[in-house]
Amino acid sequence: MASLFSKVDVSDPQTYAAGQDGGSLKELAAAIARGEVVTEEQAEKWSPKQGKSPKLPPATFEPPPPSMDYRFTGLSIWLEVDEDEAKPVQRLIDKYQTLGSEPSFPVHATVLYSMDPALLRAGDPEFLTEKLAAVVDSLPTRLIFLKPKKLVYFPYPKSADNGKGFGCLMPFFLINMSQPLVHLFEACKNSFPPDERHGGRDAGVRRVKSEASLLDLLNRQEDEEVEAAPKWTTKRKGFLEPREKVPTKEFTPLRRRGRVRSFHSLTSGKAYTPHLSIAYLSMSRTDIMNERVCEEIVRDDPDTMKTVKAKWLSAWWTEGKVEDWKRICRV
């Protein structure tokens, strides 16, 4: 026994036990303190191996969760929401961006995006402020309200839009179209250079496969009634009497006649689909964002469906990843 403990100082067993980590050494010291006979087998079990560290379980490597790797481009025009009214939606953005290991961003409806900075004096703040102010001054009203009508789960793969998709899960609140929003969009499109989707002052709006497939989902929800123009015919009351124009049938909502709108086009061909995105997540993060989650959000947090007021028209530098976004100016 002496040879077994020749390198272990147990002259004061209680002090020895108190200064060690782990129950085995404490048990060994306590047995010696009680004057018990310690067998070689017990000592082997209780004492640490000289010159060796305790055996630890093998380390396991867990790769970090996948993140969104899409890099945005250029300058964008946003319609930002009053901060107090935006709190319910901002909480959603903060929550799901954090769950997805992505940076947060303010509540906004994108008006134009990915514009070429070279056409806007490289994003000069004074220049952009003047242009935004001119847009605002041209609007018939500055009271613009955003009324959510549905939370859409929207996977947007890179293959969409002829290879221009963001490669992410992009759930968003679809916003009811209104005349003030149409006026705002038209004023911005006519004042700023073409963006990635809308081709400038005179160009029509492209319709692509991803928009058409999304349209099938969006039109399940009723939009504001858009009345079709009536067809007119002439009807004679009698010989040499003036002809009277009468409608051949009553107004019929367009959606009931099977005429549906593209994701980025109204019947006029010059409009867009306003929406409030609540996350930009890796396509693989369906564990935290999916159709069921969207349904639960609307059910459990009805405040997110409340109408909110737009407060700012702003220009953003959206070059790079989400963490690189920076506000340039707002009016």
Side-chain angles (χ1 to χ4, degrees):
M1 295 297 296
S3 61
L4 182 63
F5 297 106
S6 58
K7 296 184 179 180
V8 181
D9 181 10
V10 292
S11 57
D12 185 354
Q14 295 300 327
T15 303
Y16 177 80
Q20 304 301 315
D21 293 327
S24 297
L25 291 177
K26 293 181 180 180
E27 291 172 6
L28 174 61
I32 296 173
R34 292 192 298 268
E36 297 178 4
V37 176
V38 181
T39 65
E40 183 171 340
E41 182 179 353
Q42 290 173 317
E44 182 73 13
K45 174 184 175 182
W46 286 339
S47 63
K49 300 295 182 182
Q50 295 297 320
K52 293 184 179 180
S53 301
K55 188 175 181 181
L56 300 175
T60 56
F61 174 74
E62 295 185 4
S67 60
M68 180 182 171
D69 60 358
Y70 181 81
R71 299 187 68 86
F72 296 84
T73 58
L75 300 177
S76 300
I77 304 300
W78 289 5
L79 187 61
E80 296 188 55
V81 178
D82 180 272
E83 291 85 349
D84 291 332
E85 296 184 12
K87 285 180 180 178
V89 177
Q90 189 64 61
R91 285 196 299 268
L92 287 182
I93 294 174
D94 296 343
K95 175 182 178 179
Y96 288 100
Q97 288 294 99
T98 299
L99 287 174
S101 301
E102 302 287 354
S104 186
F105 52 87
V107 180
H108 68 279
T110 301
V111 183
L112 300 172
Y113 70 99
S114 297
M115 294 182 293
D116 186 352
L119 301 177
L120 292 167
R121 299 185 185 177
D124 177 67
E126 184 175 348
F127 173 73
L128 289 172
T129 299
E130 291 179 0
K131 290 187 73 67
L132 292 176
V135 168
V136 171
D137 290 341
S138 72
L139 298 177
T141 177
R142 298 189 182 188
L143 289 176
I144 300 178
F145 295 94
L146 305 178
K147 180 181 178 181
K149 70 173 186 175
K150 181 180 177 64
L151 178 55
V152 179
Y153 170 65
F154 186 47
Y156 193 33
K158 290 183 178 180
S159 58
D161 286 356
N162 298 322
K164 293 184 178 181
F166 296 166
C168 70
L169 302 179
M170 194 181 73
F172 59 81
F173 284 102
L174 180 66
I175 301 301
N176 243 21
M177 182 58 71
S178 65
Q179 283 301 317
L181 282 172
V182 172
H183 287 306
L184 173 67
F185 173 77
E186 289 296 328
C188 287
K189 193 163 77 77
N190 292 336
S191 179
F192 287 90
D195 72 345
E196 184 167 303
R197 186 175 301 278
H198 308 101
R201 181 186 301 269
D202 300 319
V205 180
R206 295 185 294 114
R207 175 170 176 155
V208 294
K209 291 182 179 179
S210 65
E211 295 167 356
S213 61
L214 177 62
L215 181 65
D216 294 335
L217 173 64
L218 302 187
N219 279 275
R220 299 292 184 269
Q221 299 291 315
E222 292 189 0
D223 205 343
E224 294 178 348
E225 294 291 314
V226 180
E227 302 294 343
K231 292 183 178 179
W232 298 88
T233 186
T234 57
K235 181 180 178 181
R236 287 188 178 182
K237 291 184 177 181
F239 185 71
L240 295 180
E241 292 184 5
R243 295 180 178 181
E244 177 185 6
K245 283 189 175 183
V246 295
T248 57
K249 59 180 179 178
E250 294 187 5
F251 293 122
T252 303
L254 293 179
R255 59 182 177 80
R256 292 180 186 170
R257 298 198 295 139
R259 294 178 58 191
V260 292
R261 292 180 289 191
S262 170
F263 181 37
H264 289 276
S265 174
L266 288 180
T267 53
S268 66
K270 291 185 177 182
Y272 81 125
T273 299
H275 60 279
L276 302 177
S277 295
I278 65 169
Y280 295 99
L281 304 170
S282 167
M283 289 288 291
S284 64
R285 295 313 306 269
T286 53
D287 57 323
I288 60 175
M289 179 52 62
N290 49 58
E291 290 182 357
R292 179 181 57 81
V293 170
C294 289
E295 293 172 358
E296 291 175 349
I297 288 173
V298 175
R299 182 194 66 202
D300 299 337
D301 194 356
D303 285 347
T304 58
M305 294 293 292
K306 289 184 177 180
T307 299
V308 294
K309 182 173 64 177
K311 186 175 182 179
W312 306 97
L313 188 63
S314 57
W316 280 73
W317 182 264
T318 49
E319 188 83 28
K321 295 187 175 182
V322 176
E323 59 261 33
D324 301 320
W325 292 355
K326 294 180 178 63
R327 182 191 293 118
I328 300 173
C329 59
R330 63 184 184 181
V331 297

